[in-house]
């Protein structure tokens, strides 16, 4: 009798352990239960807003600052270029690829292709001096400026030689590295099977370099128009990620940051440069995929 009781207890223990193991395996079988070791890549579009910026322009024959310059982005709207391989780098876009170092944290590298366009129809105060050679096209702007209001649009219309047009449209390229945290909040939406649909909250910080291609018409000089490492940036972000069928997701983000560029190429002459710093706010939507390596 004693042997029967012991044998029954052993069988019950084995069965209980087996059931527990099966339940654990079932939980682990959910692809979305763990992120560690997964790789992700995304592509999307953005809109930006910028704070006003004091922009200094310096060369052999001039040194002046445009005070509180206003600028805007250059959206293309809904356009096939976002998915056209030949033109997909033309619109305002975001590329990111990364790796989950554990279930909650990822490290990614990205390219934020923003566009920064000086608002031409503005009047801004200019301080400094311009002393170009008498025969130079921009010599019509020679003089000493002391918080002098300049109507940039009017100057262009009057003489055909703009005082200044200034934009980073190919673009304001922020090449950055981000560290982000991810949290599954599907339960808040009463989602049971996260392998079908999962909702994640994500936050992160990033740092990187600015690699713009600046299009500038300055005092009638020939523009530089080539890519150049011009400064650095830092950013923070928060977003919502919705993943479908384990591998595909759409992610919306708000991203704010600071940009400091102290070496902006403006003309063909290496003596000419510009510098500025400002804050930006970016709104973006990206589509991506996530796979285990």
């Amino acid at each position: 009798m004693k042997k029967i009781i012991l044998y029954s207890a052993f069988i019950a223990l084995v069965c209980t352990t087996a059931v527990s193991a099966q339940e654990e395996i079932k939980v682990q079988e959910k692809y979305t239960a763990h992120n560690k070791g997964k790789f992700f890549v995304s592509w999307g579009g953005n809109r930006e807003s910028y704070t006003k910026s004091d922009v200094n322009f310096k060369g052999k024959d001039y040194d002046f600052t445009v005070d509180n310059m206003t600028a805007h982005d250059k959206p293309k709207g809904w356009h096939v270029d976002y998915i056209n391989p030949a033109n997909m780098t033309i619109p305002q876009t975001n590329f990111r690829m990364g790796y989950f170092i554990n279930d909650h944290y990822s490290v990614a590298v990205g390219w934020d292709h923003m566009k920064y366009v000086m608002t031409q129809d503005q009047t801004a105060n200019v301080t400094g001096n311009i002393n170009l050679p008498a025969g130079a096209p921009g010599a019509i702007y020679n003089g000493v400026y002391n918080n002098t209001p300049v109507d940039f649009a009017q100057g262009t219309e009057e003489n055909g030689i703009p005082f200044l047009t200034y934009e980073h449209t190919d673009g304001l390229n922020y090449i950055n590295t981000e560290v982000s945290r991810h949290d599954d909040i599907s339960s808040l939406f009463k989602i049971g099977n996260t392998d079908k649909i999962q909702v994640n909250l994500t936050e992160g910080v990033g740092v990187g370099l600015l690699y713009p291609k600046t299009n500038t018409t300055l005092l009638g000089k020939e523009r530089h128009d080539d890519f150049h490492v011009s400064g650095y940036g830092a950013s923070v972000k928060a977003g919502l990620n919705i993943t479908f069928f384990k591998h595909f997701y759409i992610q919306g983000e708000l991203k704010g940051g600071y940009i400091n560029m102290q070496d902006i190429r403006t003309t063909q002459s290496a003596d000419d440069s510009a510098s500025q710093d400002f804050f930006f706010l970016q709104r973006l939507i990206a589509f991506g995929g996530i796979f285990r390596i």
Side-chain angles (χ1 to χ4, degrees):
M1 184 67 179
K2 184 177 180 181
K3 289 183 178 179
I4 294 175
I5 294 173
L6 290 174
Y7 181 73
S8 299
F10 175 75
I11 295 297
L13 178 62
V14 170
C15 291
T16 302
T17 303
V19 170
S20 298
Q22 287 178 357
E23 290 178 350
E24 184 177 349
I25 290 172
K26 286 181 181 179
V27 171
Q28 292 177 348
E29 282 178 349
K30 283 192 176 181
Y31 186 85
T32 51
H34 298 283
N35 286 322
K36 184 178 180 179
K38 291 180 181 177
F39 170 85
F40 59 91
V41 61
S42 67
W43 179 263
N46 64 65
R47 291 294 310 269
E48 305 100 38
S49 300
Y50 305 106
T51 59
K52 294 181 179 180
S53 177
D54 295 342
V55 188
N56 176 252
F57 296 89
K58 184 180 295 185
K60 185 172 65 174
D61 302 309
Y62 63 91
D63 185 349
F64 66 89
T65 298
V66 180
D67 185 46
N68 283 330
M69 176 189 288
T70 60
H72 55 273
D73 64 351
K74 191 178 182 180
K76 200 159 188 176
W78 296 99
H79 203 283
V80 70
D81 280 354
Y82 283 98
I83 56 174
N84 181 350
N87 297 322
M88 61 194 311
T89 61
I90 295 176
Q92 299 174 176
T93 50
N94 297 76
F95 170 78
R96 188 176 301 142
M97 61 186 299
Y99 178 78
F100 279 93
I101 57 177
N102 60 38
D103 285 347
H104 288 288
Y105 286 93
S106 69
V107 177
V109 292
W111 168 40
D112 293 12
H113 181 69
M114 301 180 280
K115 294 181 184 290
Y116 178 102
V117 182
M118 168 190 173
T119 302
Q120 203 63 43
D121 186 18
Q122 69 173 296
T123 298
N125 291 341
V126 175
T127 298
N129 63 83
I130 301 172
N131 188 28
L132 299 178
I140 55 176
Y141 296 111
N142 282 354
V144 176
Y145 296 77
N146 185 14
N147 268 343
T148 306
V150 173
D151 184 344
F152 292 99
Q154 186 64 29
T156 302
E157 294 172 359
E158 284 182 349
N159 47 60
I161 301 172
F163 187 111
L164 173 69
T165 61
Y166 177 74
E167 54 189 55
H168 312 291
T169 47
D170 199 24
L172 184 64
N173 297 306
Y174 176 41
I175 315 298
N176 60 87
T177 299
E178 290 183 343
V179 176
S180 301
R181 178 178 173 88
H182 308 259
D183 292 285
D184 183 355
I185 57 171
S186 304
S187 61
L188 297 179
F189 302 91
K190 301 187 184 304
I191 296 172
N193 187 351
T194 55
D195 276 0
K196 288 186 177 180
I197 183 169
Q198 183 184 40
V199 182
N200 299 282
L201 188 65
T202 179
E203 316 88 29
V205 296
V207 294
L209 297 175
L210 271 298
Y211 189 54
K213 185 176 183 181
T214 304
N215 180 357
T216 303
T217 303
L218 173 64
L219 303 173
K221 292 174 173 280
E222 186 177 356
R223 69 186 190 182
H224 178 250
D225 200 24
D226 203 357
F227 294 102
H228 179 68
V229 176
S230 300
Y232 65 89
S235 56
V236 295
K237 70 171 189 179
L240 195 67
N241 170 294
I242 304 176
T243 300
F244 302 94
F245 304 109
K246 302 184 289 187
H247 297 296
F248 309 100
Y249 66 84
I250 180 171
Q251 183 162 313
E253 289 180 3
L254 284 177
K255 187 173 186 176
Y258 171 72
I259 286 174
N260 188 309
M261 295 188 291
Q262 297 300 312
D263 185 25
I264 303 166
R265 289 295 304 272
T266 54
T267 77
Q268 288 294 321
S269 173
D271 293 328
D272 296 335
S273 66
S275 60
Q276 67 176 139
D277 67 313
F278 54 88
F279 292 92
F280 71 89
L281 177 64
Q282 187 180 152
R283 291 86 67 196
L284 69 97
I285 296 178
F287 298 87
I290 179 169
F291 304 90
R292 192 178 299 281
I293 297 177

